[in-house]
Amino acid sequence: MTRRHIATSLAVLTGVAVLFFGLNFLLNPGGAPDGFGIRPWPEGNADGYFVVKGVRDLAVASTVFLLLALRQRRTLGWVLLIDAIIPLGDAMAVATHGGTVATALSVHVSAAAVVVLAAGLLLTEGRVEARQEAVREAAAAL
């Protein structure tokens, strides 16, 4: 599997995961907060929270898929790097609003790490490919 395939796979995983989370909050508001780590406030009445989170996640997923479809891989890398702020903010919200640090780290910080990894791969793939091409040309010249 090439670096490009791994970067694409991680970008698709990012888009699918965010799409799932967004749809889950919009379509399963009674069960979605359990996996997020914050109990709705007030108990059982968090409709606005679910709409905001769901729409946010759908927008992020749409951006990922649009940039992949347009083959704007470097731009997608920058967008993903910026979007890594979202799960880090979620982790802070969980840790400071009654959730556990374990949930903040295992769910949200780990998601941020995957997003940053995908961004890094996308942002550096052109340089790696150029280096590989230079090595092939040098080898062919020998």
Side-chain angles (χ1 to χ4, degrees):
M1 185 174 265
T2 68
R3 178 185 177 99
R4 184 175 177 89
H5 288 111
I6 293 170
T8 301
S9 297
L10 287 173
V12 169
L13 174 65
T14 300
V16 168
V18 175
L19 181 63
F20 169 78
F21 298 141
L23 290 173
N24 192 31
F25 271 89
L26 289 173
L27 303 175
N28 182 24
D34 293 340
F36 189 74
I38 299 175
R39 299 188 92 167
W41 183 264
E43 200 71 45
N45 184 12
D47 293 341
Y49 166 78
F50 297 126
V51 171
V52 169
K53 176 153 179 28
V55 169
R56 175 195 75 179
D57 290 348
L58 291 175
V60 171
S62 298
T63 303
V64 168
F65 294 133
L66 173 66
L67 292 172
L68 277 172
L70 295 175
R71 298 181 180 176
Q72 297 295 315
R73 300 174 67 79
R74 186 159 179 80
T75 302
L76 176 57
W78 285 112
V79 168
L80 289 179
L81 191 60
I82 293 166
D83 285 350
I85 295 168
I86 296 169
L88 293 175
D90 293 347
M92 187 168 51
V94 169
T96 60
H97 289 87
T100 66
V101 172
T103 299
L105 294 173
S106 65
V107 175
H108 303 290
V109 174
S110 66
V114 171
V115 173
V116 168
L117 176 62
L121 290 170
L122 287 163
L123 289 169
T124 60
E125 71 183 7
R127 282 184 263 166
V128 170
E129 289 170 2
R131 243 183 284 141
Q132 290 171 341
E133 180 64 27
V135 169
R136 280 193 289 272
E137 288 174 7
L142 295 176

Short mmCIF file of all heavy atoms in Angstrom, two decimals, residues 74-137:
data_model
loop_
_atom_site.label_atom_id
_atom_site.label_comp_id
_atom_site.label_asym_id
_atom_site.label_seq_id
_atom_site.Cartn_x
_atom_site.Cartn_y
_atom_site.Cartn_z
N ARG A 74 -3.76 18.72 -1.28
CA ARG A 74 -2.99 19.61 -0.41
C ARG A 74 -3.94 20.53 0.37
O ARG A 74 -3.76 20.74 1.57
CB ARG A 74 -1.99 20.42 -1.22
CG ARG A 74 -1.08 21.26 -0.35
CD ARG A 74 0.19 21.63 -1.10
NE ARG A 74 1.05 22.44 -0.29
CZ ARG A 74 1.88 22.00 0.65
NH1 ARG A 74 1.96 20.71 0.89
NH2 ARG A 74 2.62 22.81 1.34
N THR A 75 -4.94 21.05 -0.30
CA THR A 75 -5.94 21.88 0.38
C THR A 75 -6.64 21.07 1.45
O THR A 75 -6.87 21.56 2.57
CB THR A 75 -6.95 22.44 -0.64
OG1 THR A 75 -6.25 23.19 -1.63
CG2 THR A 75 -7.99 23.32 0.04
N LEU A 76 -6.98 19.83 1.15
CA LEU A 76 -7.62 18.96 2.14
C LEU A 76 -6.70 18.77 3.34
O LEU A 76 -7.17 18.77 4.49
CB LEU A 76 -7.98 17.61 1.52
CG LEU A 76 -8.56 16.58 2.47
CD1 LEU A 76 -9.82 17.10 3.17
CD2 LEU A 76 -8.86 15.28 1.71
N GLY A 77 -5.41 18.63 3.10
CA GLY A 77 -4.47 18.51 4.22
C GLY A 77 -4.54 19.71 5.15
O GLY A 77 -4.57 19.56 6.38
N TRP A 78 -4.58 20.91 4.58
CA TRP A 78 -4.67 22.13 5.41
C TRP A 78 -6.01 22.19 6.14
O TRP A 78 -6.07 22.56 7.32
CB TRP A 78 -4.47 23.39 4.56
CG TRP A 78 -3.04 23.59 4.19
CD1 TRP A 78 -2.48 23.49 2.94
CD2 TRP A 78 -1.96 23.89 5.08
NE1 TRP A 78 -1.13 23.72 3.01
CE2 TRP A 78 -0.78 23.98 4.31
CE3 TRP A 78 -1.87 24.11 6.46
CZ2 TRP A 78 0.46 24.26 4.87
CZ3 TRP A 78 -0.63 24.38 7.01
CH2 TRP A 78 0.52 24.46 6.22
N VAL A 79 -7.08 21.83 5.44
CA VAL A 79 -8.40 21.85 6.07
C VAL A 79 -8.44 20.85 7.24
O VAL A 79 -8.94 21.17 8.33
CB VAL A 79 -9.51 21.55 5.03
CG1 VAL A 79 -10.84 21.29 5.71
CG2 VAL A 79 -9.63 22.71 4.06
N LEU A 80 -7.91 19.65 7.03
CA LEU A 80 -7.91 18.66 8.11
C LEU A 80 -7.07 19.13 9.29
O LEU A 80 -7.45 18.92 10.45
CB LEU A 80 -7.39 17.31 7.61
CG LEU A 80 -8.31 16.55 6.68
CD1 LEU A 80 -7.65 15.24 6.25
CD2 LEU A 80 -9.65 16.27 7.34
N LEU A 81 -5.95 19.76 9.00
CA LEU A 81 -5.11 20.27 10.08
C LEU A 81 -5.89 21.29 10.92
O LEU A 81 -5.86 21.25 12.15
CB LEU A 81 -3.84 20.89 9.51
CG LEU A 81 -2.75 21.23 10.51
CD1 LEU A 81 -2.28 19.99 11.26
CD2 LEU A 81 -1.57 21.87 9.78
N ILE A 82 -6.60 22.17 10.25
CA ILE A 82 -7.42 23.16 10.97
C ILE A 82 -8.58 22.46 11.69
O ILE A 82 -8.88 22.79 12.85
CB ILE A 82 -7.95 24.22 9.98
CG1 ILE A 82 -6.79 25.06 9.46
CG2 ILE A 82 -9.01 25.10 10.64
CD1 ILE A 82 -7.13 25.91 8.26
N ASP A 83 -9.20 21.50 11.04
CA ASP A 83 -10.34 20.81 11.64
C ASP A 83 -9.96 19.96 12.85
O ASP A 83 -10.84 19.59 13.63
CB ASP A 83 -11.04 19.93 10.61
CG ASP A 83 -11.88 20.72 9.64
OD1 ASP A 83 -12.08 21.94 9.87
OD2 ASP A 83 -12.34 20.13 8.64
N ALA A 84 -8.68 19.67 13.04
CA ALA A 84 -8.25 18.93 14.23
C ALA A 84 -8.57 19.71 15.51
O ALA A 84 -8.64 19.12 16.60
CB ALA A 84 -6.76 18.62 14.15
N ILE A 85 -8.82 20.99 15.36
CA ILE A 85 -9.21 21.81 16.51
C ILE A 85 -10.55 21.32 17.09
O ILE A 85 -10.76 21.37 18.30
CB ILE A 85 -9.32 23.29 16.10
CG1 ILE A 85 -7.95 23.82 15.69
CG2 ILE A 85 -9.94 24.14 17.19
CD1 ILE A 85 -7.99 25.17 14.99
N ILE A 86 -11.42 20.83 16.23
CA ILE A 86 -12.76 20.44 16.67
C ILE A 86 -12.71 19.32 17.72
O ILE A 86 -13.25 19.48 18.81
CB ILE A 86 -13.65 20.07 15.47
CG1 ILE A 86 -13.87 21.30 14.59
CG2 ILE A 86 -14.98 19.49 15.94
CD1 ILE A 86 -14.51 20.99 13.24
N PRO A 87 -12.06 18.17 17.44
CA PRO A 87 -12.04 17.14 18.48
C PRO A 87 -11.24 17.55 19.71
O PRO A 87 -11.54 17.08 20.82
CB PRO A 87 -11.43 15.91 17.78
CG PRO A 87 -10.74 16.44 16.57
CD PRO A 87 -11.47 17.69 16.18
N LEU A 88 -10.26 18.43 19.54
CA LEU A 88 -9.55 18.92 20.73
C LEU A 88 -10.47 19.78 21.58
O LEU A 88 -10.45 19.69 22.81
CB LEU A 88 -8.30 19.70 20.31
CG LEU A 88 -7.21 18.86 19.65
CD1 LEU A 88 -6.07 19.75 19.16
CD2 LEU A 88 -6.70 17.79 20.58
N GLY A 89 -11.31 20.61 20.94
CA GLY A 89 -12.31 21.38 21.68
C GLY A 89 -13.32 20.47 22.35
O GLY A 89 -13.74 20.72 23.49
N ASP A 90 -13.71 19.41 21.65
CA ASP A 90 -14.63 18.43 22.24
C ASP A 90 -14.01 17.79 23.48
O ASP A 90 -14.68 17.60 24.50
CB ASP A 90 -15.01 17.35 21.22
CG ASP A 90 -15.83 17.89 20.06
OD1 ASP A 90 -16.34 19.03 20.15
OD2 ASP A 90 -15.97 17.15 19.06
N ALA A 91 -12.72 17.46 23.39
CA ALA A 91 -12.03 16.85 24.54
C ALA A 91 -12.03 17.80 25.73
O ALA A 91 -12.28 17.39 26.87
CB ALA A 91 -10.60 16.47 24.16
N MET A 92 -11.79 19.07 25.46
CA MET A 92 -11.79 20.05 26.54
C MET A 92 -13.19 20.18 27.14
O MET A 92 -13.34 20.26 28.36
CB MET A 92 -11.31 21.41 26.02
CG MET A 92 -11.13 22.43 27.12
SD MET A 92 -10.25 23.92 26.63
CE MET A 92 -11.11 24.43 25.17
N ALA A 93 -14.21 20.17 26.28
CA ALA A 93 -15.59 20.25 26.78
C ALA A 93 -15.92 19.06 27.66
O ALA A 93 -16.53 19.22 28.73
CB ALA A 93 -16.57 20.35 25.61
N VAL A 94 -15.53 17.87 27.23
CA VAL A 94 -15.80 16.67 28.02
C VAL A 94 -15.09 16.75 29.37
O VAL A 94 -15.70 16.52 30.43
CB VAL A 94 -15.36 15.40 27.26
CG1 VAL A 94 -15.38 14.17 28.16
CG2 VAL A 94 -16.25 15.18 26.04
N ALA A 95 -13.81 17.09 29.35
CA ALA A 95 -13.02 17.11 30.58
C ALA A 95 -13.47 18.20 31.55
O ALA A 95 -13.29 18.05 32.76
CB ALA A 95 -11.54 17.29 30.24
N THR A 96 -14.07 19.27 31.05
CA THR A 96 -14.44 20.38 31.94
C THR A 96 -15.94 20.45 32.25
O THR A 96 -16.36 21.35 32.96
CB THR A 96 -14.01 21.73 31.33
OG1 THR A 96 -14.64 21.90 30.05
CG2 THR A 96 -12.50 21.81 31.18
N HIS A 97 -16.71 19.50 31.72
CA HIS A 97 -18.16 19.55 31.95
C HIS A 97 -18.71 18.21 32.43
O HIS A 97 -19.77 17.77 31.98
CB HIS A 97 -18.89 20.00 30.69
CG HIS A 97 -18.68 21.44 30.39
ND1 HIS A 97 -17.61 21.91 29.65
CD2 HIS A 97 -19.39 22.53 30.75
CE1 HIS A 97 -17.68 23.21 29.57
NE2 HIS A 97 -18.74 23.62 30.23
N GLY A 98 -18.01 17.56 33.31
CA GLY A 98 -18.54 16.37 33.96
C GLY A 98 -18.16 15.05 33.32
O GLY A 98 -18.49 14.00 33.84
N GLY A 99 -17.50 15.09 32.17
CA GLY A 99 -17.04 13.84 31.56
C GLY A 99 -15.73 13.40 32.17
O GLY A 99 -15.13 14.12 32.98
N THR A 100 -15.27 12.25 31.78
CA THR A 100 -14.01 11.75 32.32
C THR A 100 -12.85 12.13 31.40
O THR A 100 -13.02 12.27 30.19
CB THR A 100 -14.04 10.21 32.47
OG1 THR A 100 -14.12 9.62 31.16
CG2 THR A 100 -15.21 9.76 33.33
N VAL A 101 -11.69 12.24 31.99
CA VAL A 101 -10.48 12.51 31.21
C VAL A 101 -10.22 11.32 30.29
O VAL A 101 -9.77 11.49 29.16
CB VAL A 101 -9.28 12.80 32.14
CG1 VAL A 101 -7.99 12.89 31.35
CG2 VAL A 101 -9.52 14.10 32.91
N ALA A 102 -10.53 10.12 30.77
CA ALA A 102 -10.34 8.92 29.93
C ALA A 102 -11.16 9.01 28.65
O ALA A 102 -10.66 8.69 27.56
CB ALA A 102 -10.71 7.66 30.71
N THR A 103 -12.39 9.46 28.74
CA THR A 103 -13.22 9.62 27.54
C THR A 103 -12.67 10.73 26.66
O THR A 103 -12.59 10.58 25.44
CB THR A 103 -14.68 9.93 27.92
OG1 THR A 103 -15.21 8.85 28.68
CG2 THR A 103 -15.54 10.15 26.69
N ALA A 104 -12.27 11.83 27.27
CA ALA A 104 -11.71 12.94 26.50
C ALA A 104 -10.49 12.48 25.70
O ALA A 104 -10.36 12.81 24.52
CB ALA A 104 -11.33 14.10 27.43
N LEU A 105 -9.64 11.70 26.33
CA LEU A 105 -8.43 11.24 25.65
C LEU A 105 -8.72 10.13 24.64
O LEU A 105 -8.28 10.20 23.49
CB LEU A 105 -7.41 10.74 26.68
CG LEU A 105 -6.83 11.80 27.61
CD1 LEU A 105 -5.96 11.15 28.68
CD2 LEU A 105 -6.04 12.84 26.83
N SER A 106 -9.48 9.11 25.06
CA SER A 106 -9.67 7.94 24.20
C SER A 106 -10.57 8.23 23.00
O SER A 106 -10.36 7.67 21.92
CB SER A 106 -10.23 6.77 25.00
OG SER A 106 -11.53 7.06 25.48
N VAL A 107 -11.53 9.10 23.15
CA VAL A 107 -12.45 9.39 22.05
C VAL A 107 -11.98 10.60 21.25
O VAL A 107 -11.77 10.51 20.03
CB VAL A 107 -13.89 9.63 22.57
CG1 VAL A 107 -14.82 10.06 21.46
CG2 VAL A 107 -14.42 8.38 23.27
N HIS A 108 -11.77 11.71 21.91
CA HIS A 108 -11.58 12.98 21.20
C HIS A 108 -10.12 13.27 20.85
O HIS A 108 -9.84 13.69 19.73
CB HIS A 108 -12.20 14.12 22.00
CG HIS A 108 -13.65 13.87 22.28
ND1 HIS A 108 -14.61 13.91 21.29
CD2 HIS A 108 -14.32 13.52 23.42
CE1 HIS A 108 -15.79 13.63 21.80
NE2 HIS A 108 -15.64 13.39 23.09
N VAL A 109 -9.20 13.08 21.77
CA VAL A 109 -7.80 13.34 21.45
C VAL A 109 -7.29 12.30 20.44
O VAL A 109 -6.52 12.65 19.53
CB VAL A 109 -6.93 13.38 22.73
CG1 VAL A 109 -5.45 13.49 22.39
CG2 VAL A 109 -7.35 14.56 23.61
N SER A 110 -7.74 11.06 20.55
CA SER A 110 -7.33 10.06 19.56
C SER A 110 -7.88 10.42 18.17
O SER A 110 -7.19 10.23 17.16
CB SER A 110 -7.78 8.66 19.97
OG SER A 110 -9.19 8.55 19.96
N ALA A 111 -9.09 10.95 18.10
CA ALA A 111 -9.64 11.40 16.82
C ALA A 111 -8.80 12.54 16.25
O ALA A 111 -8.49 12.56 15.05
CB ALA A 111 -11.09 11.85 16.99
N ALA A 112 -8.40 13.48 17.10
CA ALA A 112 -7.56 14.59 16.65
C ALA A 112 -6.23 14.06 16.11
O ALA A 112 -5.73 14.56 15.10
CB ALA A 112 -7.32 15.58 17.79
N ALA A 113 -5.68 13.05 16.75
CA ALA A 113 -4.41 12.48 16.30
C ALA A 113 -4.54 11.86 14.90
O ALA A 113 -3.66 12.05 14.05
CB ALA A 113 -3.91 11.44 17.30
N VAL A 114 -5.63 11.15 14.64
CA VAL A 114 -5.86 10.56 13.31
C VAL A 114 -6.01 11.66 12.27
O VAL A 114 -5.45 11.56 11.16
CB VAL A 114 -7.08 9.62 13.33
CG1 VAL A 114 -7.45 9.18 11.92
CG2 VAL A 114 -6.81 8.41 14.20
N VAL A 115 -6.73 12.71 12.61
CA VAL A 115 -6.95 13.83 11.67
C VAL A 115 -5.61 14.51 11.36
O VAL A 115 -5.30 14.81 10.20
CB VAL A 115 -7.99 14.82 12.22
CG1 VAL A 115 -8.09 16.06 11.35
CG2 VAL A 115 -9.34 14.15 12.35
N VAL A 116 -4.80 14.75 12.38
CA VAL A 116 -3.49 15.38 12.18
C VAL A 116 -2.59 14.47 11.34
O VAL A 116 -1.86 14.94 10.46
CB VAL A 116 -2.83 15.75 13.53
CG1 VAL A 116 -1.36 16.13 13.36
CG2 VAL A 116 -3.59 16.88 14.20
N LEU A 117 -2.63 13.17 11.58
CA LEU A 117 -1.84 12.22 10.78
C LEU A 117 -2.26 12.28 9.31
O LEU A 117 -1.41 12.36 8.42
CB LEU A 117 -2.01 10.80 11.33
CG LEU A 117 -1.30 9.70 10.53
CD1 LEU A 117 0.21 9.91 10.51
CD2 LEU A 117 -1.65 8.34 11.12
N ALA A 118 -3.56 12.24 9.05
CA ALA A 118 -4.05 12.33 7.67
C ALA A 118 -3.60 13.65 7.03
O ALA A 118 -3.14 13.68 5.89
CB ALA A 118 -5.57 12.21 7.63
N ALA A 119 -3.69 14.75 7.79
CA ALA A 119 -3.28 16.06 7.28
C ALA A 119 -1.79 16.05 6.93
O ALA A 119 -1.39 16.52 5.86
CB ALA A 119 -3.58 17.15 8.31
N GLY A 120 -1.00 15.53 7.83
CA GLY A 120 0.45 15.47 7.59
C GLY A 120 0.81 14.67 6.36
O GLY A 120 1.65 15.08 5.56
N LEU A 121 0.15 13.53 6.19
CA LEU A 121 0.40 12.71 5.00
C LEU A 121 0.00 13.44 3.72
O LEU A 121 0.72 13.41 2.71
CB LEU A 121 -0.34 11.38 5.12
CG LEU A 121 0.21 10.41 6.16
CD1 LEU A 121 -0.74 9.24 6.36
CD2 LEU A 121 1.59 9.92 5.78
N LEU A 122 -1.16 14.09 3.75
CA LEU A 122 -1.62 14.82 2.57
C LEU A 122 -0.71 16.01 2.25
O LEU A 122 -0.43 16.29 1.08
CB LEU A 122 -3.06 15.31 2.78
CG LEU A 122 -4.12 14.22 2.73
CD1 LEU A 122 -5.42 14.72 3.36
CD2 LEU A 122 -4.36 13.76 1.30
N LEU A 123 -0.25 16.71 3.28
CA LEU A 123 0.58 17.89 3.06
C LEU A 123 1.99 17.57 2.58
O LEU A 123 2.64 18.39 1.95
CB LEU A 123 0.64 18.74 4.33
CG LEU A 123 -0.64 19.47 4.68
CD1 LEU A 123 -0.57 20.07 6.08
CD2 LEU A 123 -0.96 20.55 3.64
N THR A 124 2.46 16.38 2.85
CA THR A 124 3.82 16.02 2.48
C THR A 124 3.91 15.05 1.31
O THR A 124 5.00 14.77 0.84
CB THR A 124 4.57 15.41 3.69
OG1 THR A 124 3.89 14.23 4.13
CG2 THR A 124 4.69 16.42 4.82
N GLU A 125 2.78 14.57 0.82
CA GLU A 125 2.86 13.54 -0.23
C GLU A 125 3.49 14.06 -1.52
O GLU A 125 4.16 13.30 -2.21
CB GLU A 125 1.51 12.88 -0.48
CG GLU A 125 0.48 13.72 -1.16
CD GLU A 125 -0.85 13.00 -1.28
OE1 GLU A 125 -1.02 11.90 -0.73
OE2 GLU A 125 -1.74 13.54 -1.94
N GLY A 126 3.30 15.29 -1.88
CA GLY A 126 3.91 15.84 -3.10
C GLY A 126 5.42 15.85 -3.02
O GLY A 126 6.11 15.52 -3.98
N ARG A 127 5.96 16.22 -1.87
CA ARG A 127 7.41 16.24 -1.70
C ARG A 127 7.99 14.85 -1.75
O ARG A 127 9.03 14.63 -2.34
CB ARG A 127 7.76 16.91 -0.37
CG ARG A 127 7.66 18.42 -0.44
CD ARG A 127 8.09 19.03 0.84
NE ARG A 127 6.84 19.28 1.58
CZ ARG A 127 6.75 19.57 2.85
NH1 ARG A 127 7.82 19.63 3.58
NH2 ARG A 127 5.59 19.79 3.41
N VAL A 128 7.30 13.89 -1.15
CA VAL A 128 7.78 12.51 -1.15
C VAL A 128 7.77 11.96 -2.58
O VAL A 128 8.72 11.32 -3.01
CB VAL A 128 6.92 11.63 -0.21
CG1 VAL A 128 7.26 10.16 -0.38
CG2 VAL A 128 7.12 12.06 1.23
N GLU A 129 6.69 12.22 -3.32
CA GLU A 129 6.60 11.75 -4.70
C GLU A 129 7.68 12.38 -5.57
O GLU A 129 8.26 11.72 -6.43
CB GLU A 129 5.21 12.02 -5.26
CG GLU A 129 4.14 11.14 -4.65
CD GLU A 129 2.72 11.56 -5.03
OE1 GLU A 129 2.56 12.52 -5.81
OE2 GLU A 129 1.79 10.92 -4.54
N ALA A 130 7.96 13.66 -5.37
CA ALA A 130 9.01 14.34 -6.14
C ALA A 130 10.37 13.73 -5.84
O ALA A 130 11.18 13.51 -6.76
CB ALA A 130 9.01 15.83 -5.82
N ARG A 131 10.63 13.42 -4.58
CA ARG A 131 11.89 12.78 -4.20
C ARG A 131 12.01 11.41 -4.84
O ARG A 131 13.07 11.04 -5.36
CB ARG A 131 11.97 12.65 -2.67
CG ARG A 131 13.12 13.45 -2.09
CD ARG A 131 13.24 13.27 -0.60
NE ARG A 131 12.17 14.06 0.02
CZ ARG A 131 11.48 13.68 1.07
NH1 ARG A 131 11.72 12.55 1.67
NH2 ARG A 131 10.52 14.44 1.56
N GLN A 132 10.92 10.63 -4.81
CA GLN A 132 10.93 9.29 -5.41
C GLN A 132 11.17 9.37 -6.91
O GLN A 132 11.89 8.56 -7.48
CB GLN A 132 9.63 8.57 -5.11
CG GLN A 132 9.48 8.18 -3.65
CD GLN A 132 8.10 7.65 -3.32
OE1 GLN A 132 7.14 7.87 -4.04
NE2 GLN A 132 8.00 6.94 -2.20
N GLU A 133 10.58 10.35 -7.56
CA GLU A 133 10.77 10.53 -9.01
C GLU A 133 12.23 10.88 -9.31
O GLU A 133 12.81 10.38 -10.27
CB GLU A 133 9.83 11.62 -9.54
CG GLU A 133 9.95 11.87 -11.01
CD GLU A 133 9.55 10.67 -11.86
OE1 GLU A 133 8.73 9.83 -11.41
OE2 GLU A 133 10.09 10.53 -12.97
N ALA A 134 12.83 11.75 -8.49
CA ALA A 134 14.23 12.12 -8.69
C ALA A 134 15.14 10.90 -8.53
O ALA A 134 16.09 10.73 -9.29
CB ALA A 134 14.62 13.21 -7.70
N VAL A 135 14.83 10.05 -7.56
CA VAL A 135 15.62 8.82 -7.37
C VAL A 135 15.46 7.90 -8.57
O VAL A 135 16.46 7.34 -9.06
CB VAL A 135 15.20 8.10 -6.06
CG1 VAL A 135 15.80 6.71 -5.97
CG2 VAL A 135 15.60 8.94 -4.85
N ARG A 136 14.25 7.76 -9.09
CA ARG A 136 14.03 6.91 -10.29
C ARG A 136 14.80 7.45 -11.48
O ARG A 136 15.42 6.70 -12.23
CB ARG A 136 12.54 6.82 -10.59
CG ARG A 136 11.79 5.84 -9.73
CD ARG A 136 10.39 5.58 -10.27
NE ARG A 136 9.49 6.72 -10.12
CZ ARG A 136 8.74 6.95 -9.04
NH1 ARG A 136 8.78 6.10 -8.03
NH2 ARG A 136 7.96 8.00 -8.98
N GLU A 137 14.77 8.78 -11.67
CA GLU A 137 15.49 9.37 -12.79
C GLU A 137 17.00 9.19 -12.65
O GLU A 137 17.69 8.91 -13.63
CB GLU A 137 15.15 10.86 -12.90
CG GLU A 137 13.76 11.13 -13.40
CD GLU A 137 13.39 12.60 -13.36
OE1 GLU A 137 14.26 13.45 -13.06
OE2 GLU A 137 12.21 12.92 -13.65
#
